[in-house]
Amino acid sequence: MIDFENIIKSSQQYNFHTHTQYCDGRDNIESFVKSAISQDFHWLGLSPHSPVLCESGCNMKKELVSQYTNEVETMKSKYGCQINIFTGMEIDFFDNWGPSNEYFKCLPLDYRIGSIHFIPSFNEDDVYVDVDGCSVDFKKKMSLYFDNDIKKVVTSFYNQTLKMIDAGGFDIIGHFDKICNNANSFMPGIEEESWYKTLVREVFDAIIDNKYIIEINTKAYGDFNRFFPNKNYFKWIKDYNAPFVVNSDAHFCDKLNSGRNEAYQLLNEI
């Protein structure tokens, strides 16, 4: 496993959450590597969305996994004297599929990010619905799959997160409260509800108990002025001296450093 804690103690010039053309990213791997080098990054991790068992336009196809891992090895050989490159994957969790699955354990990965993007439909058996993405699509899905019950959706998201934490098989937990973005657009002020805060705290405590590395995800900072987790929880990270990484979740190579300096500034202020 990569020594993430020593990396973040020694430098801020890293990013372990990136998406290329193998999933829903827009630039290829070599473009990301060259961009990282030009921005004086010391460490770059590639982390395509994992194959999943349902239809998804955002996730990589299973038949492309070997091509992906081979290409990263080529990049390591070509650019290894200029930057440290790592083969990662952001792995989605379902009740019968996730980071702890033997398939992912056998892949030649340097690290694994465990993330929740899908939750079970309330009215269709064995159907999982992507609750990430834009708020307009989310509101349509709320009607189609979730009876417009936002409290139940949020609870399901955090319950899935707890199941993933319990199952294990990953190193970094990705954007652990990301449901807040769409939930807040559906019901403004939801993050201030006591029941919501209780759910988040339960997840945070489980992360701490299981010693996972917390991702501070900066992808939404430019558009929504927010981080995942919410900046209000940064103090928890500091109070518990929890290991963390600051990642931009970049889908374009020019977004590698987007929001990261602002996150570090806030952490330093705390």
Side-chain angles (χ1 to χ4, degrees):
M1 176 182 165
I2 303 168
D3 192 345
F4 291 104
E5 290 190 61
N6 274 335
I7 286 175
I8 68 164
K9 287 176 182 176
S10 64
S11 174
Q12 296 179 15
Q13 296 305 106
Y14 65 83
N15 195 333
F16 293 103
H17 194 157
T18 59
H19 295 290
T20 67
Q21 85 283 7
Y22 280 99
C23 54
D24 60 346
R26 296 296 182 267
D27 292 320
N28 60 42
I29 289 178
E30 189 161 19
S31 294
F32 268 89
V33 172
K34 288 180 177 179
S35 180
I37 292 170
S38 72
Q39 296 180 66
D40 296 323
F41 276 67
H42 302 151
W43 297 273
L44 175 68
L46 289 310
S47 57
H49 290 290
S50 69
V52 291
L53 300 180
C54 61
E55 192 63 34
S56 170
C58 294
N59 293 72
M60 76 184 307
K61 304 299 183 186
K62 200 171 182 179
E63 58 266 25
L64 293 178
V65 172
S66 292
Q67 181 180 325
Y68 158 67
T69 56
N70 289 337
E71 184 173 349
V72 179
E73 289 303 311
T74 299
M75 293 298 106
K76 290 179 181 180
S77 299
K78 188 173 181 179
Y79 296 100
C81 61
Q82 301 176 68
I83 188 171
N84 298 289
I85 302 170
F86 299 102
T87 311
M89 186 173 287
E90 183 178 20
I91 303 174
D92 277 294
F93 176 84
F94 299 74
D95 290 332
N96 58 346
W97 182 255
S100 63
N101 188 278
E102 197 63 32
Y103 169 75
F104 294 110
K105 288 182 179 179
C106 292
L107 293 180
L109 300 174
D110 297 316
Y111 69 99
R112 295 159 177 82
I113 300 173
S115 296
I116 300 295
H117 298 97
F118 298 82
I119 65 172
S121 167
F122 296 167
N123 49 32
E124 293 187 44
D125 292 338
D126 300 321
V127 172
Y128 284 78
V129 181
D130 186 351
V131 291
D132 201 14
C134 74
S135 60
V136 174
D137 288 344
F138 179 76
K139 288 175 181 177
K140 292 177 182 176
K141 292 172 183 176
M142 283 294 299
S143 175
L144 284 172
Y145 300 103
F146 303 120
D147 303 323
N148 286 318
D149 189 338
I150 190 63
K151 183 174 181 178
K152 194 173 177 181
V153 166
V154 169
T155 301
S156 177
F157 178 90
Y158 286 122
N159 283 342
Q160 288 296 103
T161 305
L162 289 170
K163 289 179 183 178
M164 181 180 74
I165 290 170
D166 186 59
F170 59 95
D171 308 295
I172 300 169
I173 184 161
H175 47 60
F176 73 77
D177 71 339
K178 198 173 183 200
I179 190 63
C180 67
N181 200 38
N182 279 329
N184 196 61
S185 71
F186 189 86
M187 179 183 163
I190 193 170
E191 291 175 273
E192 298 306 314
E193 298 281 336
S194 60
W195 63 267
Y196 181 94
K197 292 179 179 180
T198 297
L199 288 172
V200 175
R201 185 70 207 203
E202 185 178 1
V203 167
F204 181 83
D205 288 344
I207 294 168
I208 296 300
D209 289 344
N210 287 276
K211 298 180 172 58
Y212 291 118
I213 298 165
I214 296 171
E215 175 186 72
I216 296 175
N217 187 299
T218 66
K219 178 184 177 182
Y221 183 79
D223 292 330
F224 301 104
N225 193 34
R226 74 180 306 151
F227 302 110
F228 306 114
N230 188 307
K231 64 183 180 181
N232 294 335
Y233 310 138
F234 284 17
K235 188 176 185 300
W236 295 354
I237 295 172
K238 287 291 189 178
D239 287 345
Y240 285 83
N241 196 28
F244 67 89
V245 291
V246 179
N247 289 326
S248 73
D249 195 351
H251 287 61
F252 299 84
C253 59
D254 63 357
K255 298 293 186 181
L256 270 171
N257 212 28
S258 179
R260 296 179 71 259
N261 292 332
E262 291 82 356
Y264 264 110
Q265 181 179 346
L266 183 58
L267 285 163
N268 290 333
E269 289 172 2
I270 293 172

